[in-house]
Amino acid sequence: EPVERRARDSFTIEKGDEGSAKDGDLVWIETKNARGYGPKKGRVRSIAGHIDDKHAFSLIALANHGIPTEFPNAVIAEAEKAKLPPLGDRTDLRDTPLITIDPADAKDHDDAVFAAPDDDPENPGGFRIIVAIADVSWFVKPDSALDKEALKRGNSTYLPDRVVPMLPERLSNDLCSLRADEDRPCLAVEMIITAGGVKKRHRFMRAMMRSHAKLAYEEAQEISDGGPASAALKEVVKNLYAAFNARMQERKKRAPLDLDLPERKIILDDNGDVEKVVKRERFDAHRMIEEFMILANVAAAEALERAKTPLIYRVHDEPDPEKIEATRDYLDTLDYSLTKGAVRPANFNQLLKIAGERDQKEMVSEVVLRSQRQAIYDTENVGHFGLNLGRYAHFTSPIRRYADLTVHRGLVKAFKLGANGQTEKEAKALFKIAEDISDLERRSIAAERESADRYLAGYLEEKVGAEFDARIRGVTKFGLFVMLDESGADGFIPMRAIGSERFRFEEKEHAVIGESTGGVFRLGQAVKVKLAEAAP
């Protein structure tokens, strides 16, 4: 039986074609009589695992979405041959105390940050910020085996038990990872901001850096709150937070969409079973890195536009007017009013503020999220609605996103920063590349979600009969989709199981209503549910 739901056929394996496979094994097969009639026949090529093995959850998700897990030999060979460049014409930033701040379990570090008060008397209270990004374009030459494979993957895929990287480990975890106390090539942007956080100017450089410290978000937050650290490191962190506070003033004026939905992380034990699911804590350290990365991404888009160099933007179009109308109608039923006419992120933020005061923030966030379009890559700039920015590109993660690599090459070409800049062939292909990597990003998200769903179903298999707090995520004529508060697992309640009376579906109200009592279950509502079945 194929694991892929879209594949309708099952295959007959004749005696002698099963290799050493036993019932319940997960196997890769090749078809035998692909053109013939009658039952489809297959031959077992290799055994991938067993259906009861937890590691199979990710394998199934990856196979289901056609995500390649092995690197071709030519790609590995090219990565193994790679060497660090000499200093040459690069700007020497090795004495600048750049530091990396990442999740505690991060294996690759593609961005480092530094800030200091600006010493220009014309900019009182301003700051100089440097964001340095691994110089992936130095190692991944256009049209090389590494480049073709990276484009085929589009991005790295993050599953609960593994990462399927865009680039081989020799690059992603070694030569392109900004490790503490090691020389690493980078593409850096120096940005000058005012005391009010407005960017005055920026300049890009190809440089050599040496990370002065590797911090987890929690550690950075602790140092900022007065925890122990060397005097030098305390100074670096203090300046970063001061520059961040200046940026927050600008952010308040810009008013990007502030959904702040909880993120969950599945923690596995040594046997690969789900030990627990935790909600990720959000510190100012997270917001600070996010803010500096947004600043650098905007600088990259502006720099390439000014240099008239073709680029791929990260765009987020404004919501579809019909969806906004439906959202407005629904919010009316909850006694919220959304402004008439064009809607800006600030209008949604006002709604969310009121929802927070009424203890309905998650519910209203869900509704706002549903009204949004998906962010995609495109060579046509329509701006970024969610961030409330006129132009935005991805520059800060070239280890794990191909879009960023194209932006790096554009900058290398635009500012004559040496080898491996954008070629004419790549410039002409950017529209197609943008389409492809948008699709590949969706593919990865689907695999990540599917793998997490299987792990959560496996985790909940032993909890059948238990009661959980949940929230209604979807209302259909067949029943309700719910999400469990604790684990984030998604479940379904068929119409017949909602209650002892008949319920009718009201599409406009995103609700089902009891025909005899008038009781209502609506989108975003908190409910108590009992687990009847879980099948990974």
Side-chain angles (χ1 to χ4, degrees):
E1 298 286 340
V3 296
E4 198 173 340
R5 290 200 187 97
R6 288 186 297 267
R8 290 193 180 82
D9 302 306
S10 50
F11 293 83
T12 303
I13 310 288
E14 294 177 327
K15 207 165 175 54
D17 283 340
E18 77 281 15
S20 55
K22 308 259 188 312
D23 197 24
D25 280 340
L26 267 175
V27 296
W28 288 103
I29 67 157
E30 53 197 21
T31 53
K32 276 174 74 177
N33 60 339
R35 292 213 171 120
Y37 297 99
K40 291 261 168 81
K41 291 181 184 173
R43 183 186 296 116
V44 172
R45 205 176 67 201
S46 62
I47 297 174
H50 193 276
I51 194 70
D52 294 333
D53 175 17
K54 300 288 190 292
H55 291 297
F57 294 164
S58 289
L59 274 177
I60 291 171
L62 293 165
N64 211 348
H65 295 281
I67 293 175
T69 53
E70 302 295 322
F71 284 101
N73 292 337
V75 175
I76 297 281
E78 214 169 84
E80 291 303 325
K81 265 197 262 175
K83 287 189 181 66
L84 290 169
L87 178 63
D89 292 339
R90 290 174 181 268
T91 307
D92 193 345
L93 291 177
R94 289 175 296 183
D95 291 336
T96 303
L98 284 148
I99 63 169
T100 61
I101 305 176
D102 288 293
D105 56 358
K107 302 274 190 295
D108 52 14
H109 308 280
D110 47 11
D111 55 83
V113 289
F114 163 80
D118 186 12
D119 51 17
D120 180 359
E122 308 256 305
N123 187 24
F127 289 89
R128 181 169 78 98
I129 299 170
I130 296 177
V131 171
I133 306 296
D135 188 1
V136 176
S137 65
W138 173 263
F139 301 101
V140 181
K141 298 175 171 58
D143 254 352
S144 61
L146 272 167
D147 183 43
K148 286 174 180 156
E149 183 66 16
L151 179 53
K152 206 164 98 184
R153 293 172 181 234
N155 48 260
S156 299
T157 303
Y158 294 84
L159 306 170
D161 64 334
R162 71 190 75 193
V163 176
V164 180
M166 182 177 86
L167 298 168
E169 276 194 20
R170 166 79 171 136
L171 295 182
S172 59
N173 290 358
D174 183 3
L175 297 179
C176 295
S177 190
L178 307 179
R179 294 175 176 177
D181 303 319
E182 293 186 31
D183 287 7
R184 285 290 180 268
C186 64
L187 207 60
V189 57
E190 178 187 60
M191 298 168 286
I192 306 298
I193 64 168
T194 65
V198 177
K199 180 167 68 67
K200 288 184 74 164
R201 60 181 183 277
H202 59 250
R203 72 181 176 102
F204 284 87
M205 56 194 130
R206 224 171 188 174
M208 189 68 79
M209 65 159 283
R210 177 177 270 252
S211 167
H212 286 226
K214 168 190 142 176
L215 297 181
Y217 287 118
E218 295 82 351
E219 292 172 312
Q221 194 59 47
E222 221 170 275
I223 294 169
S224 171
D225 295 341
S230 69
L233 189 53
K234 276 186 176 169
E235 180 69 9
V236 172
V237 172
K238 186 187 91 178
N239 285 334
L240 284 169
Y241 273 78
F244 164 61
N245 287 329
R247 274 298 292 167
M248 286 313 276
Q249 296 175 56
E250 190 277 340
R251 185 189 162 95
K252 273 198 190 90
K253 284 190 186 132
R254 190 176 87 234
L257 186 57
D258 188 17
L259 278 173
D260 219 10
L261 290 160
E263 260 192 77
R264 293 175 181 83
K265 184 176 167 68
I266 295 174
I267 309 287
L268 304 180
D269 63 18
D270 297 338
N271 302 323
D273 293 321
V274 177
E275 185 183 308
K276 57 184 175 183
V277 182
V278 295
K279 282 192 184 177
R280 290 180 198 255
E281 265 193 280
R282 291 264 298 166
F283 300 108
D284 271 350
H286 287 93
R287 294 184 184 91
M288 171 174 77
I289 293 300
E290 217 167 75
E291 205 46 50
F292 290 163
M293 296 307 124
I294 289 170
L295 193 61
N297 286 337
V298 170
E302 288 176 358
L304 289 173
E305 263 191 15
R306 270 186 215 147
K308 298 195 169 29
T309 304
L311 77 146
I312 291 176
Y313 295 92
R314 179 66 167 176
V315 301
H316 180 219
D317 206 350
E318 35 195 72
D320 177 294
E322 274 181 31
K323 266 197 176 167
I324 286 292
E325 207 43 59
T327 303
R328 198 176 275 122
D329 291 348
Y330 172 56
L331 287 167
D332 274 348
T333 69
L334 294 177
D335 202 25
Y336 289 93
S337 68
L338 184 59
T339 180
K340 291 274 179 253
V343 179
R344 297 307 309 152
N347 304 125
F348 284 126
N349 291 344
Q350 186 57 31
L351 264 185
L352 293 164
K353 187 170 167 246
I354 297 164
E357 287 158 12
R358 294 188 196 172
D359 201 23
Q360 293 179 322
K361 185 157 184 195
E362 272 200 39
M363 174 166 159
V364 174
S365 294
E366 192 64 48
V367 177
V368 171
L369 183 65
R370 300 218 161 182
S371 69
Q372 303 300 309
R373 295 186 202 254
Q374 238 178 341
I376 57 165
Y377 294 109
D378 203 335
T379 48
E380 283 296 309
N381 181 30
V382 295
H384 198 295
F385 179 82
L387 292 172
N388 205 8
L389 290 166
R391 54 193 51 72
Y392 192 65
H394 270 167
F395 158 75
T396 52
S397 287
I399 293 178
R400 59 187 181 89
R401 294 187 304 223
Y402 195 84
D404 306 51
L405 177 56
T406 67
V407 167
H408 278 228
R409 286 176 179 159
L411 292 163
V412 167
K413 181 192 173 210
F415 300 108
K416 302 185 173 52
L417 298 175
N420 301 347
Q422 185 187 82
T423 60
E424 261 184 58
K425 182 182 170 187
E426 185 182 56
K428 286 197 179 87
L430 286 181
F431 174 72
K432 176 81 171 80
I433 291 172
E435 272 191 340
D436 290 347
I437 59 182
S438 296
D439 290 343
L440 294 169
E441 180 184 43
R442 281 195 285 276
R443 174 178 82 166
S444 284
I445 291 168
E448 287 163 6
R449 205 170 279 154
E450 185 183 314
S451 175
D453 283 349
R454 281 185 206 276
Y455 269 103
L456 291 171
Y459 172 57
L460 291 167
E461 219 174 359
E462 285 123 46
K463 295 177 168 43
V464 167
E467 291 194 353
F468 298 91
D469 290 323
R471 207 166 272 283
I472 297 173
R473 289 283 304 266
V475 182
T476 69
K477 59 173 178 283
F478 311 109
L480 307 172
F481 286 95
V482 296
M483 182 191 209
L484 303 190
D485 288 355
E486 176 205 3
S487 61
D490 289 310
F492 181 66
I493 299 164
M495 206 62 125
R496 64 172 190 282
I498 294 175
S500 51
E501 60 183 311
R502 277 179 69 99
F503 282 83
R504 70 172 190 278
F505 170 54
E506 292 289 345
E507 189 174 7
K508 267 198 161 163
E509 292 180 37
H510 294 278
V512 295
I513 299 170
E515 293 199 338
S516 45
T517 63
V520 178
F521 289 107
R522 63 167 76 239
L523 183 66
Q525 188 176 329
V527 286
K528 264 253 190 295
V529 295
K530 185 174 180 176
L531 182 62
E533 185 190 352

